[in-house]
Amino acid sequence: MSVSDTPAQAEQRNHVIVFDTTMRDGEQSPGASMSLEEKLELAKILEEMRVDVIEAGFPIASNGDFEAVRQISEIVTESTVCGLARAGMADIDRCAEAVKRAKRGRIHTFISTSPVHMKWKLQMEPDEVLEMVTKSVAHARNLCGDVEWSAEDATRTERDFLLRCVEAAIKAGASTINLPDTVGYSYPSEYAEIFRDVIENVPGADKVIFSTHCHNDLGLAVANSLAGVQGGARQIECAVNGIGERAGNAALEEIVMALKVRGDKLPYDTVVETQHITRVSRYVSAITGFPVQFNKAIVGKNAFAHESGIHQDGMLKNAETYEIMKPEDVGQIESNLVMGKHSGRHAFREKLKALGYELGQNALNEAFQRFKDLADKKKHVFDDDIVALVDDALASGADRIQVRNLRVIAGTEGPQEAFITVTVEGEEKSGNATGDGPVDAVFNAIQTVFPHDAILRLFQVHAVTEGTDAQAQVSVRLEEDGRIATGQAADTDTLTASAKAYVNALNNLMARKEKSAPTARVASGF
Ligand code: KIV
Ligand code: ZN
């Protein structure tokens, strides 16, 4: 379908609407915060890959979320841009304000309907909740032509009550009804049956689109989402790399590829251009600092690797022996260009294109310089090295604090000591400190040149490629006053990468402080 189809047309065509919530539910993963610039870039990629709906944030949660939804509404023209709102009028007004400039804007409002949520979280009687459903949807509908309503914790909701709430939401003007498996509790057969029951028994159900929203607490989010489609849902809510609250959401890349590869079992298509999948996965991993597990379906480093002799032999004879989809279908392009210190700017740009990056002139120059520096240190520069250095350049390009120089004394004769020089908005500062190990010394030295109260919540190192000259990719997560920020850096020197990642996290934390109100998130009760 084209993104301008009405819900009824979409259903007729058996199209499944892909609703991406990486920037909303995905960002609710502890520590997965994204800056405004990163969200704008992600929105552009999602639109380019033809995701139908982009849930860009929860506008009342913070000024940062509001700005993200507002600015994404201004730049995205093909996809629908959606903001989340609780059932309160202030939430809905703020959301309407944020999406008002969108060519296709949507208000997504929700309220809990399960007994346990109504009693303990909302402290409301079922009849009060039912009344709120009507009021909130009607209010949203007055402000926006496209309203989605969600029954939070639908899978643990008493069925009769769920049917009454869905009927009220449809009557009040919702055009999409979402039945989330909020706590990842449902089973595929059970989830499909809920949709069948609701669609068969609620008056007006044939006029709206039903949506899945599955959490992965039991590892069933993708299976449940697909079962929801079998039960009649035509929209799937999902997130890149499956990020989201707790164990995460259904992974976008798995949903899209399962529908594409097994059209014989589930004859419903999406319009997502799958060759962008690897690129968006890498981007989300880089900006959140959440690494993709090696064996992750579709986007893991090993997803298309064949190690055992029997498998390799089969692959050489015919790729179909062990491959159900091609790496290039998801944008894993085997490029023939081997990069090294003699490679020029043109070859570098071609390589970046093959890896899914289109950089502006300044970013290209910066990345090329970093590539040259790396090629001086490392004989073979692999694709993963280039991905790491470009992500690093993108992450740190506009940083206010920059690491200029680092020297560390490490080894068996303690104490380990670090000497660092940084620039803070152009002004050079030097300091040194000892520590319990070289990384601790580096972080203490940063504290001397840029005193701060942030607490280290995560320090993670992984080797980008094999070999002792591999780049170390470091992720650092810092927390201050409830705000969390992640930083990343890559370098062949693990300690330099650590210093740069820490400083990058500090920069992101400062940016968050400036842009957001003190509360990073709001509780979802009233
Ligand atoms: O998991 C959930 O129920 C949600 C809703 C707000 C849609 O994220
Ligand atoms: Zn959710």
Side-chain angles (χ1 to χ4, degrees):
M1 97 156 191
S2 84
V3 283
S4 57
D5 275 356
T6 63
Q9 284 168 327
E11 182 157 22
Q12 259 175 11
R13 290 169 203 244
N14 278 348
H15 166 74
V16 171
I17 296 167
V18 174
F19 176 116
D20 177 88
T21 186
T22 309
M23 287 184 257
R24 199 279 297 168
D25 210 316
E27 208 198 26
Q28 285 175 217
S29 318
S33 61
M34 304 166 211
S35 68
L36 177 61
E37 292 69 30
E38 290 162 347
K39 285 185 183 177
L40 289 167
E41 183 59 31
L42 179 55
K44 282 188 211 154
I45 302 175
L46 292 170
E47 181 176 42
E48 208 182 315
M49 65 195 282
R50 299 194 64 207
V51 161
D52 303 278
V53 185
I54 300 171
E55 189 168 48
F58 192 175
I60 200 141
S62 69
N63 293 339
D65 260 43
F66 177 84
E67 265 313 299
V69 179
R70 191 182 70 79
Q71 293 197 27
I72 289 170
S73 295
E74 282 178 359
I75 60 162
V76 166
T77 54
E78 294 300 318
S79 312
T80 294
V81 179
C82 173
L84 184 71
R86 292 169 300 184
M89 303 301 134
D91 273 51
I92 294 170
D93 291 346
R94 188 83 174 134
C95 185
E97 182 65 25
V99 297
K100 80 174 179 206
R101 291 195 197 283
K103 191 163 170 206
R104 298 178 171 83
R106 174 181 295 186
I107 296 177
H108 175 193
T109 182
F110 72 99
I111 191 165
S112 292
T113 52
S114 68
V116 63
H117 275 219
M118 289 192 290
K119 180 167 179 198
W120 296 104
K121 190 180 88 164
L122 300 178
Q123 299 183 338
M124 286 168 78
E125 292 300 322
D127 281 348
E128 293 176 282
V129 169
L130 191 57
E131 202 184 316
M132 282 296 272
V133 173
T134 301
K135 274 196 186 154
S136 56
V137 174
H139 185 63
R141 193 63 183 76
N142 273 335
L143 300 170
C144 182
D146 182 349
V147 174
E148 171 170 340
W149 177 75
S150 286
E152 190 183 2
D153 207 15
T155 52
R156 295 191 299 169
T157 297
E158 285 172 359
R159 195 62 61 82
D160 280 355
F161 186 61
L162 182 64
L163 266 61
R164 286 170 66 207
C165 288
V166 171
E167 183 176 351
I170 296 174
K171 274 200 183 132
S175 45
T176 302
I177 300 291
N178 182 29
L179 304 179
D181 185 26
T182 303
V183 290
Y185 177 71
S186 206
Y187 246 56
S189 52
E190 179 188 38
Y191 198 51
E193 192 273 324
I194 295 175
F195 281 95
R196 277 190 203 104
D197 190 7
V198 173
I199 291 170
E200 254 168 44
N201 294 306
V202 172
D206 56 328
K207 304 283 183 301
V208 300
I209 290 285
F210 279 85
S211 176
T212 68
H213 177 109
C214 297
H215 281 270
N216 207 27
D217 300 66
L218 292 173
L220 292 171
V222 170
N224 282 339
S225 306
L226 298 174
V229 172
Q230 285 175 314
R234 290 294 177 271
Q235 174 177 287
I236 297 182
E237 302 193 0
C238 47
V240 175
N241 297 338
I243 64 171
E245 282 274 7
R246 305 181 311 280
N249 286 95
L252 179 146
E253 60 279 6
E254 295 177 26
I255 295 287
V256 169
M257 291 312 289
L259 287 170
K260 183 172 170 140
V261 172
R262 294 309 307 270
D264 57 325
K265 283 282 163 203
L266 265 182
Y268 310 105
D269 63 357
T270 76
V271 290
V272 170
E273 293 184 357
T274 61
Q275 72 275 18
H276 297 286
I277 281 178
T278 300
R279 170 185 170 211
V280 76
S281 162
R282 284 178 176 158
Y283 187 67
V284 168
S285 172
I287 62 179
T288 56
F290 281 24
V292 175
Q293 81 199 52
F294 281 11
N295 60 328
K296 164 85 179 60
I298 318 293
V299 290
K301 198 180 167 81
N302 291 352
F304 295 94
H306 303 273
E307 178 77 19
S308 91
I310 299 172
H311 286 210
Q312 285 176 347
D313 180 55
M315 284 293 294
L316 288 172
K317 288 174 178 146
N318 183 339
E320 279 181 24
T321 49
Y322 286 103
E323 218 164 60
I324 58 165
M325 54 199 151
K326 295 193 192 76
E328 50 272 31
D329 293 344
V330 298
Q332 283 208 18
I333 298 178
E334 270 305 320
S335 156
N336 295 327
L337 282 177
V338 178
M339 304 298 289
K341 68 175 173 187
H342 300 298
S343 305
R345 190 179 294 266
H346 181 69
F348 183 66
R349 190 187 293 121
E350 287 306 303
K351 171 63 87 180
L352 289 184
K353 238 194 217 158
L355 293 171
Y357 292 96
E358 296 271 0
L359 302 187
Q361 199 53 46
N362 288 348
L364 179 71
N365 291 346
E366 158 87 10
F368 185 64
Q369 188 51 52
R370 285 180 183 234
F371 159 70
K372 282 287 186 191
D373 293 345
L374 182 64
D376 273 341
K377 295 185 205 159
K378 215 170 171 278
K379 194 161 171 222
H380 300 293
V381 180
F382 299 103
D383 286 2
D384 284 346
D385 284 318
I386 294 177
V387 168
L389 78 82
V390 173
D391 287 343
D392 192 19
L394 292 176
S396 63
D399 280 355
R400 285 164 59 185
I401 319 170
Q402 308 248 358
V403 176
R404 292 294 174 213
N405 196 278
L406 178 72
R407 196 161 57 81
V408 183
I409 300 172
T412 50
E413 305 297 316
Q416 289 76 21
E417 189 167 9
F419 302 79
I420 197 161
T421 302
V422 300
T423 49
V424 181
E425 279 164 357
E427 192 191 331
E428 202 166 278
K429 297 185 177 214
S430 298
N432 63 296
T434 55
D436 193 3
V439 175
D440 194 42
V442 170
F443 293 175
N444 291 342
I446 295 171
Q447 182 68 249
T448 67
V449 287
F450 189 80
H452 57 274
D453 296 323
I455 296 166
L456 181 70
R457 291 287 180 220
L458 173 100
F459 170 69
Q460 192 170 271
V461 186
H462 94 263
V464 173
T465 57
E466 281 90 45
T468 49
D469 67 346
Q471 286 192 92
Q473 187 159 47
V474 177
S475 300
V476 164
R477 190 176 303 146
L478 297 176
E479 184 180 350
E480 192 184 325
D481 291 340
R483 291 185 189 86
I484 294 175
T486 305
Q488 306 257 316
D491 200 286
T492 47
D493 182 312
T494 309
L495 295 170
T496 301
S498 303
K500 287 184 172 173
Y502 192 99
V503 163
N504 183 231
L506 273 180
N507 281 297
N508 292 339
L509 199 57
M510 285 191 294
R512 277 190 84 79
K513 261 196 213 168
E514 278 159 20
K515 282 179 193 147
S516 69
T519 37
R521 282 201 269 158
V522 289
S524 42
F526 289 99

